[in-house]
Amino acid sequence: MDAILLQGVTKSFGSQRAVDSVDLNVPQGSIFGLLGPNGSGKTTTIRMVLQIILPDSGQVRVLGSELDDALRRRIGYLPEERGLYRSMRVEDQLVFLGELHGLTPVDARRRGRRWLERLDAADWVGRKVQELSKGMQQKIQFIGTMLHEPDLVILDEPFSGLDPVNVRMMKDVMLELRERGATVVFSTHQMEQVERSCDRICLINEGRVVLEGALAQIRQKYGDETVQIEYDGKLPREPIADLVDSIDDHGRFAEIRLHRIEESGELLRRLVGAVEIRRFERSEASLNDIFIRLVGGGQ
């Protein structure tokens, strides 16, 4: 059974077509990445899955049927915009959110304290939300999403405001959820997290699905080999221009896609002496490179 199934889903706001005939299936028990640039239709799609807004046409099924009150109790949703009450104490906030999901105050408090310990936030239990940092507020809202032990977890930009330590902690929780059979759907711009965590992905651009499927198959289809280099100095462009299809240069690291990967030796020969090369290797193209090529109109 698919945790989420969309068939021909379309949504317009006035003359603007936000989501255009989207077909999508999210297998149960998987980690699924929903990707796309700003304004691509990701959040609108998520809101239609949750019936926050209704599609103009098409079918949406969640956990095998149309969404109703019983199914809502099996879903956890972390919106991109924070919805915490700033003047409430952290524990009171979690108890309130737990009760909204059908928990007793005792169970909500017990589960909240357990999650606060799990996410290294127990010291903040008595503080008001307005006293918390942006990252800590994100943690508290995530805990509120998880209190009722949902079967389907939908996270809209879950890594927003988190430092690398807490990003890793969030990733570990996602893996634990998959291990117990839950389904995790998250949207993000952090391609590194998608590559490391997701079983399947969907890339949406201008309201349409650009690609969708198992991450390994997508990389095999679109992921031409590239050359990755770490260097000191200024990377020359003119001497290598006839070899290069595209360069993603970060100043000390560059990912270079060649017209023909067999020309990597010639690329190295031309770069030696122009920059100090600390690492030079052929590798599979990153998901970030695939994303930029497809969304940016590259070939």
Side-chain angles (χ1 to χ4, degrees), residues 2-49:
D2 291 320
I4 298 174
L5 177 64
L6 274 62
Q7 295 178 315
V9 171
T10 296
K11 182 66 182 180
S12 296
F13 298 98
S15 61
Q16 179 65 39
R17 183 67 61 87
V19 175
D20 192 357
S21 301
V22 165
D23 295 326
L24 179 66
N25 69 293
V26 179
Q28 197 163 8
S30 66
I31 299 178
F32 190 95
L34 187 60
L35 314 177
N38 292 330
S40 62
K42 302 188 303 298
T43 296
T44 299
T45 299
I46 288 172
R47 289 174 176 171
M48 285 190 289
V49 169

Short mmCIF file of all heavy atoms in Angstrom, two decimals, residues 2-49:
data_model
loop_
_atom_site.label_atom_id
_atom_site.label_comp_id
_atom_site.label_asym_id
_atom_site.label_seq_id
_atom_site.Cartn_x
_atom_site.Cartn_y
_atom_site.Cartn_z
N ASP A 2 0.48 2.24 -0.80
CA ASP A 2 1.17 3.52 -0.80
C ASP A 2 0.71 4.34 0.40
O ASP A 2 -0.48 4.39 0.72
CB ASP A 2 0.88 4.29 -2.09
CG ASP A 2 1.52 3.65 -3.31
OD1 ASP A 2 2.66 3.18 -3.18
OD2 ASP A 2 0.87 3.60 -4.37
N ALA A 3 1.66 5.00 1.05
CA ALA A 3 1.29 5.91 2.13
C ALA A 3 0.58 7.14 1.58
O ALA A 3 -0.34 7.67 2.20
CB ALA A 3 2.54 6.32 2.91
N ILE A 4 1.01 7.60 0.39
CA ILE A 4 0.38 8.73 -0.29
C ILE A 4 0.26 8.38 -1.77
O ILE A 4 1.21 7.89 -2.37
CB ILE A 4 1.19 10.03 -0.12
CG1 ILE A 4 1.28 10.43 1.36
CG2 ILE A 4 0.59 11.17 -0.93
CD1 ILE A 4 2.18 11.62 1.61
N LEU A 5 -0.90 8.66 -2.34
CA LEU A 5 -1.11 8.45 -3.77
C LEU A 5 -1.84 9.67 -4.33
O LEU A 5 -2.93 10.02 -3.87
CB LEU A 5 -1.93 7.19 -4.02
CG LEU A 5 -2.28 6.89 -5.49
CD1 LEU A 5 -1.01 6.62 -6.29
CD2 LEU A 5 -3.24 5.72 -5.59
N LEU A 6 -1.23 10.33 -5.30
CA LEU A 6 -1.84 11.46 -6.00
C LEU A 6 -2.01 11.07 -7.46
O LEU A 6 -1.07 10.56 -8.08
CB LEU A 6 -0.97 12.71 -5.91
CG LEU A 6 -1.13 13.62 -4.68
CD1 LEU A 6 -0.76 12.87 -3.40
CD2 LEU A 6 -0.27 14.87 -4.82
N GLN A 7 -3.19 11.34 -8.01
CA GLN A 7 -3.46 11.05 -9.42
C GLN A 7 -4.11 12.26 -10.07
O GLN A 7 -5.21 12.66 -9.71
CB GLN A 7 -4.39 9.83 -9.54
CG GLN A 7 -3.75 8.53 -9.04
CD GLN A 7 -4.68 7.34 -9.12
OE1 GLN A 7 -5.85 7.45 -8.75
NE2 GLN A 7 -4.18 6.21 -9.61
N GLY A 8 -3.37 12.87 -10.99
CA GLY A 8 -3.89 14.00 -11.75
C GLY A 8 -4.29 15.19 -10.92
O GLY A 8 -5.26 15.89 -11.24
N VAL A 9 -3.55 15.47 -9.86
CA VAL A 9 -3.94 16.53 -8.92
C VAL A 9 -3.53 17.90 -9.48
O VAL A 9 -2.38 18.12 -9.85
CB VAL A 9 -3.29 16.30 -7.54
CG1 VAL A 9 -3.50 17.51 -6.64
CG2 VAL A 9 -3.89 15.05 -6.90
N THR A 10 -4.50 18.81 -9.48
CA THR A 10 -4.30 20.15 -10.03
C THR A 10 -4.87 21.18 -9.05
O THR A 10 -5.92 20.95 -8.44
CB THR A 10 -4.99 20.29 -11.39
OG1 THR A 10 -4.38 19.39 -12.33
CG2 THR A 10 -4.87 21.71 -11.93
N LYS A 11 -4.15 22.30 -8.91
CA LYS A 11 -4.63 23.39 -8.06
C LYS A 11 -4.20 24.73 -8.65
O LYS A 11 -3.02 24.94 -8.97
CB LYS A 11 -4.08 23.26 -6.65
CG LYS A 11 -4.57 24.34 -5.68
CD LYS A 11 -6.07 24.22 -5.44
CE LYS A 11 -6.59 25.31 -4.51
NZ LYS A 11 -8.05 25.18 -4.29
N SER A 12 -5.17 25.64 -8.78
CA SER A 12 -4.89 26.99 -9.27
C SER A 12 -5.34 28.01 -8.23
O SER A 12 -6.30 27.77 -7.48
CB SER A 12 -5.61 27.26 -10.59
OG SER A 12 -5.13 26.40 -11.61
N PHE A 13 -4.63 29.12 -8.19
CA PHE A 13 -5.02 30.27 -7.39
C PHE A 13 -5.22 31.43 -8.36
O PHE A 13 -4.24 32.02 -8.83
CB PHE A 13 -3.97 30.59 -6.35
CG PHE A 13 -3.74 29.48 -5.35
CD1 PHE A 13 -2.68 28.60 -5.50
CD2 PHE A 13 -4.60 29.31 -4.28
CE1 PHE A 13 -2.47 27.57 -4.60
CE2 PHE A 13 -4.40 28.29 -3.36
CZ PHE A 13 -3.34 27.41 -3.52
N GLY A 14 -6.47 31.71 -8.68
CA GLY A 14 -6.74 32.69 -9.72
C GLY A 14 -6.24 32.17 -11.05
O GLY A 14 -6.55 31.04 -11.46
N SER A 15 -5.43 32.96 -11.73
CA SER A 15 -4.88 32.55 -13.03
C SER A 15 -3.57 31.77 -12.89
O SER A 15 -3.02 31.30 -13.88
CB SER A 15 -4.64 33.78 -13.90
OG SER A 15 -3.70 34.66 -13.28
N GLN A 16 -3.08 31.62 -11.65
CA GLN A 16 -1.80 30.95 -11.41
C GLN A 16 -2.02 29.46 -11.16
O GLN A 16 -2.68 29.07 -10.20
CB GLN A 16 -1.08 31.57 -10.21
CG GLN A 16 0.26 30.93 -9.87
CD GLN A 16 1.29 31.11 -10.96
OE1 GLN A 16 1.37 32.18 -11.57
NE2 GLN A 16 2.07 30.08 -11.22
N ARG A 17 -1.46 28.60 -12.01
CA ARG A 17 -1.53 27.16 -11.84
C ARG A 17 -0.37 26.74 -10.93
O ARG A 17 0.78 26.69 -11.34
CB ARG A 17 -1.42 26.46 -13.20
CG ARG A 17 -1.55 24.93 -13.17
CD ARG A 17 -2.91 24.46 -12.78
NE ARG A 17 -3.97 24.89 -13.66
CZ ARG A 17 -4.35 24.23 -14.76
NH1 ARG A 17 -3.76 23.11 -15.10
NH2 ARG A 17 -5.33 24.70 -15.50
N ALA A 18 -0.68 26.46 -9.66
CA ALA A 18 0.35 26.13 -8.68
C ALA A 18 0.80 24.68 -8.78
O ALA A 18 1.98 24.36 -8.58
CB ALA A 18 -0.15 26.43 -7.26
N VAL A 19 -0.15 23.77 -9.02
CA VAL A 19 0.14 22.34 -9.17
C VAL A 19 -0.62 21.88 -10.40
O VAL A 19 -1.83 22.12 -10.53
CB VAL A 19 -0.29 21.54 -7.93
CG1 VAL A 19 -0.10 20.05 -8.15
CG2 VAL A 19 0.51 22.00 -6.71
N ASP A 20 0.08 21.20 -11.32
CA ASP A 20 -0.48 20.90 -12.62
C ASP A 20 -0.43 19.40 -12.92
O ASP A 20 0.62 18.87 -13.27
CB ASP A 20 0.30 21.68 -13.69
CG ASP A 20 -0.39 21.66 -15.04
OD1 ASP A 20 -1.43 21.00 -15.19
OD2 ASP A 20 0.13 22.31 -15.98
N SER A 21 -1.55 18.71 -12.73
CA SER A 21 -1.69 17.29 -13.11
C SER A 21 -0.60 16.41 -12.51
O SER A 21 0.07 15.65 -13.21
CB SER A 21 -1.70 17.15 -14.63
OG SER A 21 -2.75 17.89 -15.20
N VAL A 22 -0.40 16.52 -11.21
CA VAL A 22 0.67 15.78 -10.54
C VAL A 22 0.22 14.36 -10.20
O VAL A 22 -0.83 14.14 -9.60
CB VAL A 22 1.11 16.51 -9.25
CG1 VAL A 22 1.94 15.60 -8.35
CG2 VAL A 22 1.89 17.76 -9.61
N ASP A 23 1.03 13.39 -10.63
CA ASP A 23 0.91 11.99 -10.22
C ASP A 23 2.08 11.67 -9.31
O ASP A 23 3.22 11.99 -9.63
CB ASP A 23 0.95 11.05 -11.43
CG ASP A 23 -0.25 11.24 -12.36
OD1 ASP A 23 -1.34 11.54 -11.86
OD2 ASP A 23 -0.07 11.09 -13.58
N LEU A 24 1.78 11.04 -8.19
CA LEU A 24 2.84 10.79 -7.21
C LEU A 24 2.44 9.63 -6.32
O LEU A 24 1.29 9.52 -5.90
CB LEU A 24 3.04 12.04 -6.35
CG LEU A 24 4.09 12.00 -5.23
CD1 LEU A 24 5.47 11.86 -5.82
CD2 LEU A 24 3.99 13.25 -4.37
N ASN A 25 3.40 8.73 -6.07
CA ASN A 25 3.14 7.67 -5.08
C ASN A 25 4.32 7.58 -4.12
O ASN A 25 5.48 7.61 -4.52
CB ASN A 25 2.89 6.32 -5.75
CG ASN A 25 4.12 5.74 -6.40
OD1 ASN A 25 4.62 6.28 -7.38
ND2 ASN A 25 4.62 4.64 -5.85
N VAL A 26 4.00 7.51 -2.83
CA VAL A 26 4.99 7.41 -1.77
C VAL A 26 4.81 6.05 -1.10
O VAL A 26 3.81 5.82 -0.42
CB VAL A 26 4.82 8.53 -0.73
CG1 VAL A 26 5.85 8.37 0.40
CG2 VAL A 26 4.94 9.91 -1.38
N PRO A 27 5.75 5.12 -1.28
CA PRO A 27 5.60 3.79 -0.69
C PRO A 27 5.61 3.84 0.83
O PRO A 27 6.33 4.65 1.44
CB PRO A 27 6.82 3.02 -1.21
CG PRO A 27 7.28 3.79 -2.41
CD PRO A 27 6.95 5.22 -2.13
N GLN A 28 4.80 3.00 1.44
CA GLN A 28 4.75 2.94 2.89
C GLN A 28 6.09 2.42 3.42
O GLN A 28 6.73 1.55 2.82
CB GLN A 28 3.62 2.03 3.34
CG GLN A 28 3.22 2.21 4.79
CD GLN A 28 1.86 1.60 5.08
OE1 GLN A 28 1.28 0.91 4.26
NE2 GLN A 28 1.34 1.87 6.27
N GLY A 29 6.52 2.98 4.56
CA GLY A 29 7.77 2.54 5.18
C GLY A 29 9.02 3.06 4.51
O GLY A 29 10.10 2.49 4.66
N SER A 30 8.91 4.18 3.78
CA SER A 30 10.06 4.75 3.08
C SER A 30 10.33 6.17 3.58
O SER A 30 9.51 6.78 4.26
CB SER A 30 9.81 4.78 1.57
OG SER A 30 8.75 5.67 1.25
N ILE A 31 11.51 6.67 3.22
CA ILE A 31 11.83 8.09 3.40
C ILE A 31 11.80 8.72 2.01
O ILE A 31 12.54 8.31 1.12
CB ILE A 31 13.19 8.30 4.06
CG1 ILE A 31 13.21 7.66 5.46
CG2 ILE A 31 13.52 9.79 4.17
CD1 ILE A 31 14.55 7.78 6.18
N PHE A 32 10.96 9.72 1.84
CA PHE A 32 10.67 10.28 0.53
C PHE A 32 11.00 11.76 0.53
O PHE A 32 10.53 12.51 1.39
CB PHE A 32 9.19 10.08 0.20
CG PHE A 32 8.81 10.39 -1.22
CD1 PHE A 32 8.76 9.40 -2.18
CD2 PHE A 32 8.49 11.69 -1.59
CE1 PHE A 32 8.39 9.69 -3.49
CE2 PHE A 32 8.13 11.99 -2.89
CZ PHE A 32 8.08 10.98 -3.84
N GLY A 33 11.81 12.21 -0.44
CA GLY A 33 12.18 13.60 -0.55
C GLY A 33 11.38 14.32 -1.62
O GLY A 33 11.33 13.88 -2.77
N LEU A 34 10.72 15.41 -1.24
CA LEU A 34 9.96 16.25 -2.17
C LEU A 34 10.79 17.50 -2.42
O LEU A 34 10.96 18.33 -1.52
CB LEU A 34 8.60 16.59 -1.57
CG LEU A 34 7.61 17.33 -2.47
CD1 LEU A 34 7.29 16.52 -3.72
CD2 LEU A 34 6.33 17.65 -1.70
N LEU A 35 11.28 17.64 -3.64
CA LEU A 35 12.25 18.68 -3.96
C LEU A 35 11.68 19.65 -4.98
O LEU A 35 10.74 19.34 -5.71
CB LEU A 35 13.53 18.05 -4.54
CG LEU A 35 14.09 16.84 -3.80
CD1 LEU A 35 15.30 16.29 -4.53
CD2 LEU A 35 14.44 17.20 -2.38
N GLY A 36 12.29 20.83 -5.03
CA GLY A 36 11.90 21.82 -6.02
C GLY A 36 12.33 23.20 -5.57
O GLY A 36 12.49 23.45 -4.38
N PRO A 37 12.51 24.11 -6.52
CA PRO A 37 12.87 25.49 -6.16
C PRO A 37 11.72 26.20 -5.47
O PRO A 37 10.60 25.68 -5.40
CB PRO A 37 13.19 26.13 -7.52
CG PRO A 37 12.41 25.33 -8.50
CD PRO A 37 12.38 23.93 -7.97
N ASN A 38 12.00 27.38 -4.93
CA ASN A 38 10.95 28.17 -4.30
C ASN A 38 9.82 28.43 -5.29
O ASN A 38 10.05 28.78 -6.45
CB ASN A 38 11.51 29.51 -3.80
CG ASN A 38 12.48 29.34 -2.66
OD1 ASN A 38 12.36 28.40 -1.87
ND2 ASN A 38 13.45 30.24 -2.55
N GLY A 39 8.58 28.26 -4.82
CA GLY A 39 7.43 28.52 -5.68
C GLY A 39 7.11 27.41 -6.65
O GLY A 39 6.30 27.59 -7.57
N SER A 40 7.70 26.23 -6.46
CA SER A 40 7.51 25.14 -7.42
C SER A 40 6.21 24.39 -7.21
O SER A 40 5.75 23.67 -8.11
CB SER A 40 8.68 24.16 -7.34
OG SER A 40 8.75 23.58 -6.05
N GLY A 41 5.61 24.50 -6.02
CA GLY A 41 4.37 23.79 -5.74
C GLY A 41 4.48 22.73 -4.67
O GLY A 41 3.52 22.00 -4.40
N LYS A 42 5.64 22.64 -3.99
CA LYS A 42 5.85 21.61 -2.97
C LYS A 42 4.88 21.78 -1.80
O LYS A 42 4.20 20.83 -1.41
CB LYS A 42 7.29 21.66 -2.43
CG LYS A 42 8.39 21.50 -3.45
CD LYS A 42 9.75 21.36 -2.81
CE LYS A 42 10.14 22.53 -1.90
NZ LYS A 42 10.22 23.80 -2.63
N THR A 43 4.85 22.97 -1.23
CA THR A 43 4.01 23.19 -0.06
C THR A 43 2.54 23.09 -0.41
O THR A 43 1.74 22.54 0.37
CB THR A 43 4.32 24.56 0.57
OG1 THR A 43 5.69 24.56 1.04
CG2 THR A 43 3.41 24.84 1.75
N THR A 44 2.14 23.56 -1.58
CA THR A 44 0.75 23.41 -2.01
C THR A 44 0.38 21.93 -2.12
O THR A 44 -0.72 21.52 -1.70
CB THR A 44 0.53 24.11 -3.36
OG1 THR A 44 0.81 25.51 -3.23
CG2 THR A 44 -0.90 23.93 -3.85
N THR A 45 1.29 21.12 -2.64
CA THR A 45 1.04 19.69 -2.75
C THR A 45 0.86 19.07 -1.37
O THR A 45 -0.06 18.28 -1.13
CB THR A 45 2.20 19.01 -3.49
OG1 THR A 45 2.32 19.55 -4.81
CG2 THR A 45 2.00 17.50 -3.58
N ILE A 46 1.74 19.42 -0.43
CA ILE A 46 1.64 18.90 0.93
C ILE A 46 0.31 19.29 1.56
O ILE A 46 -0.37 18.48 2.20
CB ILE A 46 2.82 19.41 1.78
CG1 ILE A 46 4.13 18.71 1.36
CG2 ILE A 46 2.56 19.20 3.28
CD1 ILE A 46 5.37 19.29 2.02
N ARG A 47 -0.11 20.53 1.37
CA ARG A 47 -1.36 21.00 1.98
C ARG A 47 -2.57 20.31 1.39
O ARG A 47 -3.58 20.12 2.07
CB ARG A 47 -1.45 22.52 1.83
CG ARG A 47 -0.47 23.27 2.73
CD ARG A 47 -0.46 24.75 2.48
NE ARG A 47 0.41 25.43 3.43
CZ ARG A 47 0.76 26.71 3.34
NH1 ARG A 47 0.29 27.46 2.34
NH2 ARG A 47 1.56 27.26 4.24
N MET A 48 -2.49 19.90 0.12
CA MET A 48 -3.59 19.14 -0.46
C MET A 48 -3.62 17.72 0.08
O MET A 48 -4.71 17.15 0.28
CB MET A 48 -3.50 19.15 -1.98
CG MET A 48 -3.91 20.48 -2.59
SD MET A 48 -4.08 20.44 -4.40
CE MET A 48 -2.35 20.28 -4.90
N VAL A 49 -2.48 17.13 0.33
CA VAL A 49 -2.44 15.80 0.95
C VAL A 49 -3.14 15.84 2.30
O VAL A 49 -3.88 14.92 2.68
CB VAL A 49 -0.98 15.32 1.11
CG1 VAL A 49 -0.90 14.07 2.00
CG2 VAL A 49 -0.36 15.02 -0.25
#
